[in-house]
Amino acid sequence: MNVKLVDINLQYQNIKNEIDAAVHRVLDSGQFILGPDVDALEKEAAQYLNVNYAIGVASGTDALHLALLACGIGSGDEVITTPFTFIATCEAITYCGATPVFVDIDPKTFNINPVKIKEKISKKTKAIIPVHMYGQAAEMEPILEIAKKFQLKVIEDVAQAFGGEYKNKKLGSLGDAGCTSFFPSKNLGAYGDGGMVFTNNKEIAEKIKMLRVHGSKQKYVHELIGFNSRLDTLQAAIVRVKLKYIDQWNNMRIKHAEQRYNKLLSNCNLGTPFRESYNKHVYHLYTILVNDRKGCQKFLNSRSISSSIHYPIPVHLQKSFEYLGLSAEDFPVSSEISQKTISLPMFPELKEKEIDYVVKTVKEFLELTRTSTTH
């Protein structure tokens, strides 16, 4: 049996007629830049998250970058975030001329540990970026309380958690701004790059709308130094189709994770995903902890099971951020977790027999490992 990590094509085949019709509608219209589907998606996504504004941009990275700029982050500022994330979170901070200041993660959720945030706040601190890692909400209440006390902006990185919830509130709606990615493999993905910023703040929304189109409200009148960061109309049309299915697809992910994977792996000597009782974890990734990750991945591959590592090198240990002068010991939880994570196949259309085969293979590997260490 061959089990893919993600099967985007299978999802496309299931909604092919709707996707094809949406693409042809855009092609027939000839409106490829900020066309009607972009405006429609912005309205529909804002309604879904129950926020006042949604602004489509060219990528999830741009969403973070423009949201930071719109929140007033600039040269010399500091932004608190997690080192256990995709590098785009921290790249966006540096694009503004600001410096990422890292806080270690909670060993259960892999999200930023709010208990450790206060000690990292300085006079230069202007914002916090919590990342909802793997599909589960960061602990937002204490983060928002700290932000309010110290007058900091909160920008949620929702790239891995679209449709997820924290205490019955949609992720991306809790901070000053929320940012998501429409990268094809995401829970809500396009067929190319794309991203979106969510906010209830009119000033932030208006500034992002200007920044995405060369700092302009009116054609050829440029009030700001802006960017070319428009959400492609074709991608917006595709995401509009998919948005109708996001809750259904997320619920299928939850079922795979909590009713199949977790139960079948419950008696194994490894770490399965933890979910806070008040969170809706949407399992963008189903990531476990294994002591011999390299061996496990090799064994899975030999059985035609795809897997991936998210993420093997935390940001504070990346060469691009070595100027910060940080070491593995500075963030021991992130450093340790990054050596043990392995993501197993996870997508809505995954079949029970495929999950069973993956679990059976993982158990075989663990048994081989146990046997070899007892002899």
Side-chain angles (χ1 to χ4, degrees), residues 236-293:
I238 289 163
V239 175
R240 284 188 69 200
V241 173
K242 291 188 168 192
L243 181 60
K244 296 185 294 184
Y245 295 96
I246 189 62
D247 286 338
Q248 176 187 329
W249 290 339
N250 280 341
N251 288 336
M252 290 166 76
R253 289 173 179 272
I254 292 167
K255 183 179 178 181
H256 295 334
E258 298 185 356
Q259 296 183 28
R260 205 74 183 173
Y261 268 130
N262 283 359
K263 287 185 178 180
L264 294 175
L265 290 169
S266 61
N267 296 321
C268 299
N269 185 28
L270 48 72
T272 54
F274 170 83
R275 177 181 64 82
E276 291 286 7
S277 60
Y278 44 76
N279 283 344
K280 182 179 180 181
H281 189 331
V282 292
Y283 298 96
H284 168 59
L285 298 168
Y286 186 86
T287 303
I288 61 173
L289 301 180
V290 184
N291 289 326
D292 180 11
R293 178 174 67 194

Side-chain angles (χ1 to χ4, degrees), residues 273-324:
F274 170 83
R275 177 181 64 82
E276 291 286 7
S277 60
Y278 44 76
N279 283 344
K280 182 179 180 181
H281 189 331
V282 292
Y283 298 96
H284 168 59
L285 298 168
Y286 186 86
T287 303
I288 61 173
L289 301 180
V290 184
N291 289 326
D292 180 11
R293 178 174 67 194
K294 186 176 180 181
C296 184
Q297 190 167 37
K298 185 178 179 182
F299 192 79
L300 288 168
N301 188 55
S302 73
R303 301 295 194 274
S304 300
I305 297 170
S306 297
S307 62
S308 190
I309 298 169
H310 302 92
Y311 296 94
I313 306 173
V315 180
H316 69 289
L317 299 180
Q318 296 283 354
K319 186 175 181 181
S320 53
F321 283 93
E322 65 182 8
Y323 70 91
L324 296 175

Side-chain angles (χ1 to χ4, degrees), residues 43-343:
K43 288 183 172 66
E44 290 158 7
Q47 184 177 20
Y48 178 81
L49 263 73
N50 194 27
V51 295
N52 293 334
Y53 308 98
I55 308 99
V57 295
S59 69
T61 308
D62 279 5
L64 288 163
H65 179 201
L66 300 191
L68 284 162
L69 290 174
C71 286
I73 309 307
S75 181
D77 292 338
E78 293 179 351
V79 178
I80 290 173
T81 192
T82 166
F84 191 66
T85 181
F86 182 57
I87 200 165
T89 310
C90 303
E91 284 177 325
I93 295 168
T94 64
Y95 295 160
C96 300
T99 301
V101 173
F102 297 119
V103 169
D104 212 352
I105 58 174
D106 181 296
K108 292 189 298 184
T109 65
F110 308 152
N111 285 322
I112 190 169
N113 189 338
V115 175
K116 297 178 178 291
I117 290 176
K118 281 187 184 179
E119 63 193 53
K120 295 298 182 78
I121 295 174
S122 74
K123 290 181 179 179
K124 295 181 179 180
T125 308
K126 295 294 190 295
I128 304 170
I129 301 182
V131 180
H132 305 305
M133 183 59 65
Y134 298 157
Q136 172 156 231
E139 195 60 51
M140 290 302 295
E141 254 178 27
I143 291 171
L144 292 168
E145 286 172 9
I146 292 167
K148 185 177 180 181
K149 181 178 179 181
F150 292 93
Q151 296 183 302
L152 308 176
K153 298 292 186 183
V154 175
I155 297 152
E156 298 173 74
D157 186 335
V158 198
Q160 297 189 14
F162 190 91
E165 296 177 5
Y166 175 81
K167 297 187 176 180
N168 297 314
K169 291 185 178 180
K170 286 282 193 294
L171 302 182
S173 70
L174 294 117
D176 295 279
C179 303
T180 199
S181 165
F182 296 136
F183 191 79
S185 62
K186 303 299 185 189
N187 288 33
L188 181 63
Y191 293 152
D193 272 317
M196 190 163 274
V197 183
F198 309 102
T199 185
N200 285 310
N201 185 303
K202 184 179 180 180
E203 185 179 342
I204 291 173
E206 290 300 321
K207 192 164 185 182
I208 292 169
K209 285 180 182 179
M210 292 174 67
L211 287 169
R212 74 175 174 179
V213 60
H214 304 285
S216 174
K217 283 184 183 177
Q218 181 183 345
K219 195 171 184 180
Y220 303 132
V221 179
H222 306 276
E223 299 176 38
L224 304 170
I225 299 295
F227 305 87
N228 179 5
S229 182
R230 297 167 290 213
L231 176 61
D232 186 271
T233 307
L234 277 167
Q235 302 304 336
I238 289 163
V239 175
R240 284 188 69 200
V241 173
K242 291 188 168 192
L243 181 60
K244 296 185 294 184
Y245 295 96
I246 189 62
D247 286 338
Q248 176 187 329
W249 290 339
N250 280 341
N251 288 336
M252 290 166 76
R253 289 173 179 272
I254 292 167
K255 183 179 178 181
H256 295 334
E258 298 185 356
Q259 296 183 28
R260 205 74 183 173
Y261 268 130
N262 283 359
K263 287 185 178 180
L264 294 175
L265 290 169
S266 61
N267 296 321
C268 299
N269 185 28
L270 48 72
T272 54
F274 170 83
R275 177 181 64 82
E276 291 286 7
S277 60
Y278 44 76
N279 283 344
K280 182 179 180 181
H281 189 331
V282 292
Y283 298 96
H284 168 59
L285 298 168
Y286 186 86
T287 303
I288 61 173
L289 301 180
V290 184
N291 289 326
D292 180 11
R293 178 174 67 194
K294 186 176 180 181
C296 184
Q297 190 167 37
K298 185 178 179 182
F299 192 79
L300 288 168
N301 188 55
S302 73
R303 301 295 194 274
S304 300
I305 297 170
S306 297
S307 62
S308 190
I309 298 169
H310 302 92
Y311 296 94
I313 306 173
V315 180
H316 69 289
L317 299 180
Q318 296 283 354
K319 186 175 181 181
S320 53
F321 283 93
E322 65 182 8
Y323 70 91
L324 296 175
L326 300 169
S327 67
E329 291 73 28
D330 290 315
F331 307 101
V333 182
S334 297
S335 299
E336 181 184 358
I337 294 296
S338 69
Q339 299 304 305
K340 295 181 177 181
T341 57
I342 183 167
S343 299

